[in-house]
Amino acid sequence: MSSDPLAARLTAVAGPLFFPVTAYDAAGAVDLDAFRAHVRQGVDAGAAAVFACCGTGEFHALAPEEFRRVVAAAVAETAGQVPVVAGAGYGTALAVHFAELAEEAGADGLLAMPPYLVHADQEGLLAHYRTLAGATGLETIVYQRDNAVFTPETVLALAQTPGIIGLKDGYGDLDLMQRIVSAVRTGLPGRDFLYFNGLPTAELTGLAYRGIGVTLYSSAVFAFAPDIALAFYRALDSGDDALVNALLDSFYRPLVELRAQGRGYAVSLVKAGVRLGGLDVGPVRSPLTEPPAAHIKELTEIIASGRALLERHGAEGRG
């Protein structure tokens, strides 16, 4: 764990935010060696941060002790090169427990996921996240999605809460996000509050989110095709609209259309992609299921198409 503020560290490295999958062995137990290899590949490829045991990392499927071991493995493997942020969720008591385990494991921060199952009002949501943020010394990013969608006034209150440094948006309402950004900007002038595009395959909406000033995003693609994800990140950051649009057309849109064909594909398809890259991270845990062979074949073709595009782009640049 670094003593530097998490917000500063998350913006210090120009690269995608890496959400590794959690690896399992043939018996279904957590495979820490494979997980560490996966984390190392991502860090070496240029990840700006490692978000361990979050949605892509099957937080929902991990027992508390497994969670602690996986977070500790991420911390050990990164060795302070980039920050490690751990997921925390369920009801308030369990979320606090996972936060304490993450702190014990050496994490740099928390991604606070929605409460389990229940639909709370704004007052209840605010109390939940304030309790979680105050339970440890870890800085916290609140994840907006599903049953945790906030009004601009609630986000302003979250931004005023010690320990809460940002909002990750997985809901996708740009009108709401613009009003949230405006409310915090006017209500807390000078406050350096972070915003993240947290939609599945966030690259597809990267241009739209940049239009309202949201430049940080999570990249599921980085877990299995870091070369493509990094090329897109750099193109988006540098204003290379031709490459951005070409990747959107030939890689990201087909990928999203494939992802829409199966439940749980935001996790299982990513894990299949990691295996296609040569690292055996095992299958997803129940109740998720594996994609059929036809969808794995389609994923293989989509990845090949994206890499072929990058090769052509590189050849044109040298020509």
Side-chain angles (χ1 to χ4, degrees):
M1 175 188 278
S2 169
S3 60
D4 295 333
L6 177 60
R9 296 188 69 202
L10 285 171
T11 55
V13 177
L17 305 177
F18 175 32
F19 285 67
V21 302
T22 297
Y24 307 121
D25 62 21
V30 169
D31 186 339
L32 292 181
D33 289 339
F35 175 73
R36 288 185 62 152
H38 181 41
V39 169
R40 174 48 48 194
Q41 288 176 355
V43 173
D44 288 348
V50 172
F51 283 68
C53 302
C54 296
T56 307
E58 296 180 81
F59 171 78
H60 71 277
L62 295 172
E65 178 55 26
E66 291 178 318
F67 168 88
R68 187 195 63 77
R69 291 169 57 221
V70 172
V71 173
V75 170
E77 191 60 42
T78 58
Q81 288 179 261
V82 296
V84 173
V85 179
Y90 303 119
T92 305
L94 268 177
V96 166
H97 180 52
F98 278 99
E100 291 169 342
L101 292 173
E103 187 172 44
E104 290 173 12
D108 297 284
L110 298 173
L111 178 63
M113 292 179 285
Y116 173 70
L117 196 61
V118 296
H119 287 77
D121 59 22
Q122 295 293 296
E123 181 181 358
L125 289 171
L126 182 58
H128 170 78
Y129 291 108
R130 280 181 164 169
T131 299
L132 179 57
T136 69
L138 299 180
E139 294 173 293
T140 300
I141 300 160
V142 176
Y143 195 178
Q144 169 169 265
R145 59 174 295 171
D146 301 324
N147 58 327
V149 178
F150 310 107
T151 64
E153 293 76 20
T154 298
V155 177
L156 177 58
L158 289 170
Q160 293 169 318
T161 301
I164 295 181
I165 64 166
L167 178 75
K168 180 184 178 185
D169 180 49
Y171 186 57
D173 184 335
L174 285 175
D175 175 90
L176 174 61
M177 276 302 296
Q178 179 64 83
R179 289 185 288 115
I180 285 171
V181 170
S182 177
V184 175
R185 183 171 58 227
T186 57
L188 292 172
R191 171 76 160 92
D192 188 19
F193 195 65
L194 299 181
Y195 300 97
F196 306 77
N197 174 359
L199 290 173
T201 316
E203 288 91 342
L204 199 68
T205 53
L207 288 167
Y209 273 82
R210 279 186 171 252
I212 60 172
V214 178
T215 58
L216 295 168
Y217 65 87
S218 55
S219 176
V221 169
F222 191 84
F224 64 88
D227 51 338
I228 298 174
L230 195 57
F232 182 90
Y233 177 91
R234 290 171 174 166
L236 187 63
D237 191 53
S238 66
D240 185 350
D241 290 344
L243 181 55
V244 166
N245 288 329
L247 283 169
L248 287 174
D249 293 345
S250 68
F251 175 78
Y252 284 102
R253 179 173 57 84
L255 177 65
V256 169
E257 290 172 347
L258 174 60
R259 191 193 69 213
Q261 294 184 47
R263 289 188 177 274
Y265 272 20
V267 178
S268 61
L269 204 63
V270 172
K271 210 160 194 182
V274 177
R275 294 194 302 269
L276 286 173
L279 182 60
D280 185 4
V281 290
V284 290
R285 275 184 173 174
S286 175
L288 298 181
T289 56
E290 290 296 309
H295 287 173
I296 300 297
K297 180 176 182 293
E298 190 173 346
L299 176 61
T300 304
E301 293 168 352
I302 290 170
I303 295 171
S305 176
R307 289 185 171 142
L309 171 63
L310 293 184
E311 289 178 8
R312 291 195 301 273
H313 182 79
E316 291 168 1
R318 294 189 298 271

